[in-house]
Each structure stands twice: as C-alpha cells, then as structure tokens.
C-alpha cells in the first residue's frame, strides 16, 4: 500500500478526532489533532490574560504566537498522542468549556492560522499521517489522497460533548453545550480566512446515527480504497 495523507474535516463534536485517532492506530499512521493546536493557543491566551472583559487583545497574541511550542508526545500508557504547550502537558486543560467557548475566535485570526498551518504542513511532510480539523483538505493538504468531511445533527453533537465531559468528571448543561456547538458552527463557516467547508473532492459522512464501530469500518474501507488504487 502507498503512504498517503488522510484529511478529516467537519463540524465540532462530530467525533473527527476519535475517527482519525482510531484509523491512525489501525493502519500504523501518525495522528495529528490540528484542533488541539488551536485549543492550545486559546489556553495560552486565557492564561496570559489576553481576554480582557471578554475582548481579545489580538496585538499581544500576535507578538507571542511565534514563541509558542506546540507538540504531540505519545503517552506510553495509553498509546495516544497528547498535546504539549511549551513543554507542559495541556491535554486535559484544552478540553475545558472555557477553552471551547473561545477557540473559534482564536481560530478565526489570520495570523494564528498562518502560523499553525505551516506547523501542520511540516508535521505531514512524510505522509502516513491522519490529520483532522476544519481546513485540512481545503488549505493544509489540498492534495491529500483521501479527504473526509464529517457532519451530524447539532443536538447529537452536543449530547456527545456532554457525555465526553461528564466522563471526565466535568459538570455541564446540555443547553450550554448546544449553544456552544451552534455558535462554533456559525463562526467556523463564516470566518473570512479558511472557513469550514467541504472540499470538492471530499467524501461526506453524516454520522448522526452511526456507532463508533460502524464509522471506523466505513473509514477503513475508504482508506483501503485510496491506498490501493
């Protein structure tokens, strides 16, 4: 089989990362969660006080964006890559609702996207990579051999997010999460720089009523087809 780049894009809380992570493990590829990189920048902005009375100080972030070291290090116990920011493991911190409520605003900034896109392209140079995000198939890897676009009903996505956070011991309200999901959709699809959209050659998957096993079987079939043609 030839080595390829797999680009998985789609709306928030569609399970893109789970799909990408499981596929990468199955086919022995490197998994890169591009959304985690934007979340890491968001966490940094929050910790540095760049959000002042809910307004982002873009100039301060612009000054610091090039100093951020975002990397993925494999956890030997779980076998999964975890996100590190300037040498600190922030995998759990970047999954908070506080970060979720701000990440689309950070991701809409052109100077942030330009820096992170370069980092993402460097990570995928050798191929044999599965990367998920919002613009992987349209901007980061427009020549990717396999592009998937994932969607699901907002209510389904919100419930998945509630279940995920609850499993981590975090108490959230369904209404709050649903609002966050819909707001992120609005921002992601309407931003001027690299808006969320389905690439012309992407294969769409609505996984509203699919189990994880059904999704993985379908995705593996697409992978096998793309690597054997």
């Amino acid at each position: 089989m030839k080595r390829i780049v797999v680009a998985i894009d789609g709306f928030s809380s569609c399970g893109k990362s789970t799909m990408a992570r499981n596929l990468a493990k199955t086919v022995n590829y490197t998994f890169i969660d591009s959304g985690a990189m934007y979340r890491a920048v968001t966490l940094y902005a929050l910790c540095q006080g760049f959000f002042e009375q809910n307004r982002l100080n873009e100039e301060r972030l612009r000054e610091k964006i090039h100093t951020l070291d975002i990397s993925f290090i494999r956890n030997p116990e779980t076998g999964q890559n975890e996100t590190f920011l300037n040498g600190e493991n922030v995998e759990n911190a970047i999954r908070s609702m506080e970060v979720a409520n701000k990440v689309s605003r950070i991701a809409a900034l052109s100077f942030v996207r330009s820096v992170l896109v370069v980092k993402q392209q460097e990570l995928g140079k050798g191929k044999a990579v599965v990367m998920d995000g919002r613009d992987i198939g349209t901007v980061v890897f427009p020549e990717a051999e396999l592009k998937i676009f994932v969607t699901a009903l907002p209510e389904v996505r919100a419930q998945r997010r509630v279940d995920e956070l609850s499993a981590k011991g975090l108490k959230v309200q369904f209404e709050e999460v649903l609002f966050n999901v819909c707001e992120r959709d609005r921002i992601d699809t309407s931003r001027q720089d690299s808006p969320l959209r389905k690439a012309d050659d992407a294969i769409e998957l609505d996984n509203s009523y699919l189990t994880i096993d059904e999704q993985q079987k379908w995705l593996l079939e697409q992978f096998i087809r793309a690597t054997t043609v």
Side-chain angles (χ1 to χ4, degrees), residues 1 28 30 36 41 43 55 105 115 210 221:
M1 289 186 179
N28 197 29
T30 298
V41 175
L43 178 66
R55 293 184 60 186
R105 293 171 62 182
V115 170
L210 296 180
E221 290 173 352

Side-chain angles (χ1 to χ4, degrees), residues 10 56-57 67 69 71 73 75-76 79 83 91 94 99 114 133 140 145 148 152-153 178 187-188 203 215 222:
L56 174 63
N57 189 324
T67 70
D69 176 28
S71 59
I73 298 178
N75 183 322
T83 312
E91 184 61 34
I94 64 174
V99 170
S114 63
V140 182
E145 292 86 349
I148 305 295
L153 296 171
L178 179 59
I187 295 174
D188 290 343
I203 306 170
Q215 295 174 52
Q222 310 312 311

